[in-house]
Amino acid sequence: MAAAAGTAAATGIGALGRAAAARRGRGAVASREAVRLPAPASPAPPVPAEARAPAPGVSPFTTPNKDFYRVDTALLVPKVDAGTWRLRLHGQGVAQERTHTFADLLARPLVERDITLTCVSNEVGGPYAGTARWLGVPLAELLREAGVRPPSRGGPADQLVARSVDGMTLGTPVEDVMDGRDALLAVGMNGEPLPFDHGFPVRMVVPGLYGYVSACKWIEDIELTTFDAYDAYWVKRDWAREAPVKTQSRIDTPAPFARPAAGTVMVAGVAWAQRRGIRKVEVRVDDGPWQEARLAAPATVDTWRQWSFAWRADPGGHTLTVRATDGTGAVQTEQRAPTRPDGASGHHSVFVTVT
């Protein structure tokens, strides 16, 4: 009888919990539907038509929200009500602790930027990269208003720890956030409020760094501290503390094991080196010489570039390999490295059979 009573009580409590979660979820959905994003004070310039390579099968310059990669750590996507959401800003070098509401952020001058994000778990040639048009508050301005200075200007904190509503922690170098790049507390993605999957109501976006040290979704707390004092979630699991994005290039078309017809075959894909930009992309057929591909026009140093190469294909099996040169002149390394601890490296190749 006691066991039966306990089971019934647990079932009742579970049902109440699910009902409460459902109510919170409905409130969060309603709060997102009510959001009207203001026009940016600093809009992103139009993407040049020349930045879009006219090659069928290549990834679009702007990744639609529904196709943007996700690497979740929460079992369930958090549903946060924008009306009750708060962001706490505190820690070393903060003159006075501050709390911001969603309405506070929307009332500030917002900036709009095209930024390519990349996940550190992306294998060479993998899909975990995408470009979106982000709308948000410049994070550096928010920090400066709170009295924060980067270490290069005498600030005591060298790490910004961002905490999500689901308990996730990410550690970002303060110097990188405040060095002039477009580090944002983003509220919009491709012209709409952030989808729940991508961090509604607010997330961090910091170009040039892998997501696990920069792209906190559902953010609710920012603490200024030091790398010596605190290790964030992934650092405790032996990933690197600092993780700038490595130069990478990818063949989108033809697909691995494709069987194109002999003649001219269009080889195309994307390359990225956020904060440095892409200067050149080259393609090699089998063990032949590297041949320069046609680059689409650049948009910004924080976005990927599409590329294409018209290949005169002879019948038989062939291996196609790609490499990129970044804006500093450094050529992408062919040395293979796993994703851990600070991102994969190596050249992407596909094998095709020309018929």
Side-chain angles (χ1 to χ4, degrees):
M1 290 176 64
T7 301
T11 301
I13 292 170
L16 288 173
R18 288 191 295 273
R23 286 194 297 273
R24 288 195 298 271
R26 287 194 295 271
V29 170
S31 74
R32 183 178 182 275
E33 291 175 347
V35 172
R36 298 294 178 266
L37 295 176
S42 175
V47 177
E50 298 80 10
R52 306 178 191 273
V58 71
S59 299
F61 179 85
T62 300
T63 310
N65 290 354
K66 65 181 180 61
D67 298 328
F68 208 95
Y69 77 89
R70 288 173 52 197
V71 180
D72 293 341
T73 53
L75 293 177
L76 296 175
V77 173
K79 295 286 181 68
V80 181
D81 188 324
T84 59
W85 175 86
R86 299 291 184 271
L87 175 68
R88 181 188 178 207
L89 174 58
H90 61 108
Q92 298 181 33
V94 176
Q96 183 176 1
E97 181 175 318
R98 296 189 174 202
T99 300
H100 298 278
T101 67
F102 188 67
D104 291 339
L105 298 188
L106 291 188
R108 299 175 65 92
L110 303 182
V111 303
E112 183 183 60
R113 297 292 183 265
D114 293 317
I115 298 171
T116 298
L117 297 188
T118 314
C119 182
V120 73
S121 60
N122 197 43
E123 300 282 357
V124 172
Y128 297 147
T131 300
R133 177 158 287 193
W134 305 95
L135 177 72
V137 174
L139 180 53
E141 290 184 11
L142 217 63
L143 296 177
R144 282 193 292 268
E145 289 173 9
V148 177
R149 291 172 294 150
S152 61
R153 298 195 175 185
D158 61 6
Q159 179 179 206
L160 181 157
V161 175
R163 291 183 171 85
S164 167
V165 299
D166 66 352
M168 175 57 64
T169 57
L170 286 74
T172 310
V174 174
E175 198 70 48
D176 290 351
V177 172
M178 303 187 75
D179 68 358
R181 71 185 73 191
D182 289 310
L184 302 176
L185 287 177
V187 297
M189 180 179 183
N190 289 333
E192 65 177 85
L194 290 173
F196 287 109
D197 290 347
H198 294 288
F200 180 83
V202 182
R203 67 171 293 167
M204 271 179 62
V205 173
V206 183
L209 303 178
Y210 285 117
Y212 83 101
V213 297
S214 68
C216 184
K217 296 188 287 188
W218 316 293
I219 187 171
E220 67 171 3
D221 187 279
I222 293 176
E223 179 183 4
L224 279 299
T225 183
T226 65
F227 284 107
D228 289 341
Y230 185 81
D231 286 338
Y233 180 88
W234 289 114
V235 175
K236 293 176 182 176
R237 287 150 180 83
D238 299 326
W239 292 76
R241 285 179 170 179
E242 300 185 36
V245 172
K246 296 179 180 180
T247 302
Q248 283 289 300
S249 53
R250 184 179 76 200
I251 298 172
D252 288 339
T253 183
F257 308 112
R259 299 178 65 85
T264 301
V265 174
M266 189 61 70
V267 184
V270 288
W272 59 88
Q274 292 93 313
R275 302 306 301 150
R276 303 181 301 281
I278 294 293
R279 179 182 297 181
K280 182 168 64 174
V281 170
E282 298 167 287
V283 175
R284 184 173 64 194
V285 181
D286 300 322
D287 294 322
W290 288 103
Q291 302 177 70
E292 192 163 347
R294 175 185 173 273
L295 272 179
T300 76
V301 295
D302 291 329
T303 57
W304 57 15
R305 289 184 76 174
Q306 297 174 327
W307 58 268
S308 59
F309 175 74
W311 170 40
R312 291 291 299 172
D314 297 324
H318 298 282
T319 298
L320 305 172
T321 305
V322 64
R323 73 178 183 184
T325 299
D326 73 17
T328 71
V331 180
Q332 177 184 346
T333 180
E334 65 179 340
Q335 183 176 353
R336 300 288 294 199
T339 58
R340 196 173 188 174
D342 61 355
S345 68
H347 293 165
H348 184 220
S349 299
V350 298
F351 179 81
V352 300
T353 301
V354 179
T355 59

